[in-house]
Amino acid sequence: MSDLGSGDEGSNSQKYHQGMEQGNTEYDPGQQGAMEQELATKMLQIQSKRFYLDVKQNRRGRFIKVAEIGADGRRSQIFLALSTAGEFRDHLSTFSDFYSSLGPPNPDSVPEDGKLKSEMMVKDNRRYYLDLKENSRGRFLRVSQTITRGGPRSQVAIPAQGMIEFRDALTDLLDEFGCDEHAYKPDLPEGRHLHVDSKNFYFDVGQNNRGIYMRISEVKTNFRTAITVPEKIWPRFRDILADYCDKIKQNHADQPLGNGTGGGGGGGSGGQSQDAGGK
């Protein structure tokens, strides 16, 4: 099957994202900046779509942002409280079992609205509609989020063949962070940001069921990677980094005019490096 889309995903996702940034939901980082911390992320490539599952934390609790990026670069996203993410994970198993029981696609037997199976989840003032659908491009699970007090609809479409992979990634995150969006230490240090040339480094302190840790993320235009450092080794991590800083500083002091490793850089430079090395 080719890449799937419900055909009704539209531009509402962009409007919804703008609304979320203005604080229209409890679990989205309505307060952008230092109050928001990214605790973990997973990336899935399902057919020609990329999905990012980001566990985030703000002053109101923890939540998961699910972002879908299509082959054309169009982005859609929904937000789930951790408790809702746990319920969604269970629904993914049910939908996957149902999908496995279906025969090959048959255009003559598809319902008029394309829906093969539907469920709904409710969390506070949000409703989530789960629809396993079929169209000319294949079968997919459309997950729509609405706010009862008004606001645009946001949705992502997961190719049916990727539901198990999506469920497993979600399970890994929930195993680490649990299903209680309020179970975190509120007085952890705020995140820090460092910009160097074309790179951005983010330092975020978080907590899971194994203790406190620091997540150090390196972000460039189309690239993101991160490491997680447990709190118990922070002093040792700091000491190693400080030791390297001292050694590099000493090297610069010993070779003030350059690296001295040019080989063919000329007799004058080579002689000066030797003199510096002999001091």
Side-chain angles (χ1 to χ4, degrees), residues 33-208:
M35 292 301 294
E36 177 189 342
Q37 296 176 328
E38 181 178 292
L39 306 181
T41 186
K42 282 184 175 289
M43 193 278 284
L44 303 175
Q45 183 77 41
I46 303 177
Q47 297 182 2
S48 62
K49 292 183 177 182
R50 279 180 293 138
F51 292 89
Y52 289 93
L53 283 67
D54 299 326
V55 180
K56 292 178 175 286
Q57 175 176 289
N58 62 20
R59 62 186 179 85
R60 296 183 177 181
R62 288 176 173 173
F63 58 94
I64 293 180
K65 180 177 77 173
V66 178
E68 170 198 340
I69 302 177
D72 58 357
R74 185 173 61 180
R75 181 187 182 94
S76 303
Q77 56 192 13
I78 61 172
F79 297 84
L80 304 166
L82 292 186
S83 56
T84 308
E87 185 179 353
F88 179 45
R89 182 260 321 270
D90 296 339
H91 279 304
L92 283 171
S93 295
T94 303
F95 274 92
S96 180
D97 290 342
F98 178 80
Y99 167 70
S100 298
S101 70
L102 297 174
N106 182 356
D108 297 331
S109 62
V110 177
E112 186 176 344
D113 61 0
K115 294 181 181 179
L116 304 174
K117 178 178 173 61
S118 297
E119 294 287 351
M120 184 180 72
M121 303 184 300
V122 179
K123 174 67 176 178
D124 298 330
N125 66 330
R126 287 162 298 280
R127 292 178 182 268
Y128 300 86
Y129 298 92
L130 315 180
D131 298 307
L132 182 63
K133 302 188 70 176
E134 181 176 328
N135 62 18
S136 59
R137 288 172 286 181
R139 293 168 174 163
F140 57 93
L141 178 65
R142 186 182 67 186
V143 185
S144 305
Q145 178 181 353
T146 63
I147 303 175
T148 55
R149 65 174 179 263
R153 187 185 190 101
S154 181
Q155 57 194 26
V156 298
I158 305 169
Q161 292 172 320
M163 287 191 293
I164 288 294
E165 183 181 359
F166 198 99
R167 181 204 64 187
D168 291 346
L170 196 57
T171 297
D172 288 344
L173 294 174
L174 293 174
D175 284 347
E176 181 173 359
F177 295 98
C179 292
D180 184 354
E181 50 265 19
H182 301 293
Y184 77 100
K185 202 171 183 178
D187 57 349
L188 295 175
E190 293 184 355
R192 302 284 294 273
H193 168 239
L194 174 65
H195 179 75
V196 181
D197 298 328
S198 63
K199 295 182 179 180
N200 288 285
F201 295 92
Y202 296 90
F203 302 82
D204 295 307
V205 178
Q207 183 179 21
N208 58 25

Side-chain angles (χ1 to χ4, degrees), residues 229-240:
V229 185
E231 181 195 18
K232 63 183 180 181
I233 68 166
W234 286 3
R236 180 60 179 153
F237 193 90
R238 175 201 59 200
D239 293 344
I240 292 174

